[in-house]
Amino acid sequence: MKHPVAFLFLGIIFSQFVAAQNSTVETRIQYIEDLKIKITADPQSKSKEALNSAYKSLEASEYMENSLDGQLELVIGDYDTQKAVWPLTVSMQTLGHKDAVKIEYDLPYSDVIEKKYVLPEQMTERQLRDYEFNVEYYDALFRKDSSVLYAELYFTVTHWLSASEYRIKPVECRIYKNEKRAKEILTLNSAQMQSRTFVMSPQIDVRSAEEYQADIARVHTALESEKLAQPQPQKESETEYTEEKEQKGRLSFYVTTGMEPTDLDFSDFDIKENPLDSIDGYLTWGMGKNFFTGLNIGYDINSLYKSSIYSVGVLFGGNLNIGSHFRPYADTKVSVRTDNAVILKAGGGFDIIMGNFMLNIDYGYNWKLNDFESIFGSGDSDVQITNFHAFSIGAGFTW
């Protein structure tokens, strides 16, 4: 006989344990509010210890409600042809508060139909007929029977800052197609849903000043933790290369000065024999992502005490931005000088960029045609071509 009694005793304990585990949010919150009434009536009672235990029990659990048989409601609106979605709202009522949870989301056509969505203008005649039928069919079905789809909401509950205030935090919401074998078609995570608070009536506060301050600190910490947990926009690195932002044709204004040695034998290079030859100003503007064109105005320093020689030219080139600070390029230039000469240049260089300020280093191999008029057949002189190198350095601005 001892064994049946023992089994009966264990059965009672197990059933109480299961009942405690299956306690709903409503019963647990109501139990807490009832304890607070007892504490108000008898501050010396042991209900304060039970209250702290009840709070821990409330907050330690994760709860689930189902729109088929619980406090959860799933409402599906009419199809939006512009967005190709059905708007849905998931809301939960608890302890007389209608929207203790409210989630609004656009359910894509492709998730409901379980087929890839194609723009109507790209559909074949058959696809378009099927699409229109599906929209009409499910619109009518949702209006007639909302249980065609159902929702499961998983959430936690925390006692919040004000007296008798509680906060519901959605953890996950799953949308199912209610078929013979239920099929999950959408899952929303906590980052896609908002927490909400509600206040019980009457509001009963049995906290001491110290407990109230502790609640302030606890709520502040919880909000900060949630804020940090949210996905943050990626901070752009100053040196990070992004094609959309950084890769563009050269847009700049700069001034250079340089020299024009006849050969590149630097072992016997003498700065006195290779003085600065010119000062040039450039204005370039981008053409698409990798090309640029521009204008050039120059002055020949060697003509300072003679008849001044100026030049005007046009250039075209291509560039590649590497990071945000380095921009190599290659270019060609044609310029006409006031001493009746034409200069053809092929070369390249690079810009060192610091914000909108830039330094420029350039090299060009040049062909000098001495007689502008003869080039175009308007004179009798023979055209003489001389070759030379040109190195320059400059500074300016870029955008």
Side-chain angles (χ1 to χ4, degrees):
M1 294 293 294
K2 291 182 179 180
H3 292 285
V5 172
F7 281 124
L8 179 61
F9 178 71
L10 289 174
I12 293 172
I13 293 176
F14 181 75
S15 64
Q16 290 178 340
F17 173 78
V18 171
Q21 293 301 309
N22 291 335
S23 296
T24 63
V25 172
E26 290 87 347
T27 56
R28 289 187 176 185
I29 291 177
Q30 194 59 61
Y31 176 64
I32 288 171
E33 295 301 313
D34 291 342
L35 283 175
K36 288 159 70 176
I37 293 173
K38 292 180 181 179
I39 295 170
T40 303
D42 182 8
Q44 302 303 319
S45 69
K46 294 183 178 181
S47 297
K48 195 65 179 286
E49 295 178 7
L51 178 64
N52 293 332
S53 178
Y55 276 137
K56 290 179 182 178
S57 178
L58 173 72
E59 297 174 358
S61 301
E62 181 176 279
Y63 305 92
M64 190 273 282
E65 289 288 349
N66 188 307
S67 64
L68 293 177
D69 53 17
Q71 303 274 11
L72 207 62
E73 182 181 22
L74 173 63
V75 176
I76 305 169
D78 290 336
Y79 185 73
D80 186 329
T81 55
Q82 297 297 318
K83 297 180 180 179
V85 298
W86 277 278
L88 64 81
T89 303
V90 178
S91 57
M92 186 176 75
Q93 176 177 309
T94 185
L95 294 167
H97 297 270
K98 184 177 180 181
D99 290 328
V101 171
K102 188 171 184 179
I103 302 163
E104 295 177 320
Y105 196 80
D106 289 337
L107 182 62
Y109 172 89
S110 55
D111 287 351
V112 175
I113 308 302
E114 300 178 66
K115 289 183 180 179
K116 183 179 178 181
Y117 174 73
V118 180
L119 292 173
E121 54 267 28
Q122 297 176 356
M123 294 180 182
T124 64
E125 289 187 14
R126 180 177 178 179
Q127 287 176 322
L128 187 59
R129 286 197 303 270
D130 289 345
Y131 169 71
E132 292 173 346
F133 171 80
N134 289 334
V135 169
E136 292 178 7
Y137 173 76
Y138 276 97
D139 263 347
L141 203 58
F142 292 152
R143 292 190 203 104
K144 180 181 179 182
D145 183 7
S146 60
S147 66
V148 173
L149 303 180
Y150 71 92
E152 283 182 354
L153 177 67
Y154 297 82
F155 60 95
T156 59
V157 183
T158 309
H159 76 287
W160 212 233
L161 189 56
S162 298
S164 301
E165 182 181 22
Y166 297 88
R167 184 178 192 243
I168 295 181
K169 180 182 178 181
V171 176
E172 190 173 80
C173 183
R174 302 172 186 171
I175 307 298
Y176 291 88
K177 225 172 180 180
N178 193 12
E179 299 173 338
K180 188 174 182 180
R181 176 177 289 182
K183 185 172 185 179
E184 184 179 342
I185 61 172
L186 178 69
T187 300
L188 305 179
N189 59 41
S190 59
Q192 297 170 283
M193 301 177 286
Q194 290 187 340
S195 300
R196 286 186 161 220
T197 63
F198 64 93
V199 178
M200 294 290 291
S201 181
Q203 289 183 260
I204 305 170
D205 199 345
V206 295
R207 294 172 293 184
S208 64
E210 291 78 8
E211 289 172 330
Y212 178 65
Q213 291 300 320
D215 279 345
I216 292 176
R218 176 178 57 81
V219 168
H220 176 75
T221 301
L223 291 175
E224 286 297 313
S225 297
E226 289 180 12
K227 185 177 179 181
L228 291 173
Q230 293 295 322
Q232 299 295 319
Q234 183 178 359
K235 187 177 180 181
E236 293 178 359
S237 168
E238 289 185 1
T239 59
E240 183 180 4
Y241 170 77
T242 55
E243 183 176 74
E244 182 179 353
K245 180 178 179 181
E246 299 294 345
Q247 186 52 53
K248 57 186 178 182
R250 252 173 124 227
L251 178 59
S252 59
F253 171 75
Y254 58 102
V255 177
T256 67
T257 184
M259 59 182 66
E260 300 172 353
T262 55
D263 60 59
L264 295 180
D265 185 7
F266 292 105
S267 61
D268 192 29
F269 184 80
D270 187 349
I271 188 66
K272 294 180 181 179
E273 296 180 3
N274 293 277
L276 297 178
D277 290 293
S278 63
I279 296 176
D280 291 89
Y282 292 88
L283 176 64
T284 68
W285 56 91
M287 300 172 61
K289 292 182 177 181
N290 296 94
F291 299 97
F292 64 93
T293 187
L295 297 175
N296 158 244
I297 298 176
Y299 175 71
D300 189 335
I301 298 176
N302 296 320
S303 68
L304 182 61
Y305 300 107
K306 306 174 186 177
S307 178
S308 296
I309 299 175
Y310 299 92
S311 65
V312 177
V314 294
L315 60 149
F316 176 81
N319 64 273
L320 176 67
N321 292 8
I322 301 177
S324 298
H325 301 296
F326 189 66
R327 182 170 60 195
Y329 64 88
D331 67 346
T332 61
K333 182 177 73 170
V334 178
S335 56
V336 179
R337 294 170 32 131
T338 55
D339 64 349
N340 202 30
V342 175
I343 307 293
L344 305 178
K345 175 236 179 177
F350 58 87
D351 303 323
I352 300 173
I353 302 169
M354 293 161 284
N356 291 118
F357 179 75
M358 84 173 199
L359 297 174
N360 171 260
I361 297 176
D362 185 273
Y363 164 76
Y365 188 82
N366 298 267
W367 297 265
K368 180 180 179 181
L369 289 72
N370 70 318
D371 194 336
F372 175 75
E373 294 180 355
S374 295
I375 295 171
F376 292 95
S378 58
D380 299 326
S381 301
D382 294 330
V383 177
Q384 296 180 356
I385 301 176
T386 57
N387 304 333
F388 62 92
H389 305 278
F391 296 91
S392 66
I393 186 169
F397 301 93
T398 186
W399 300 271

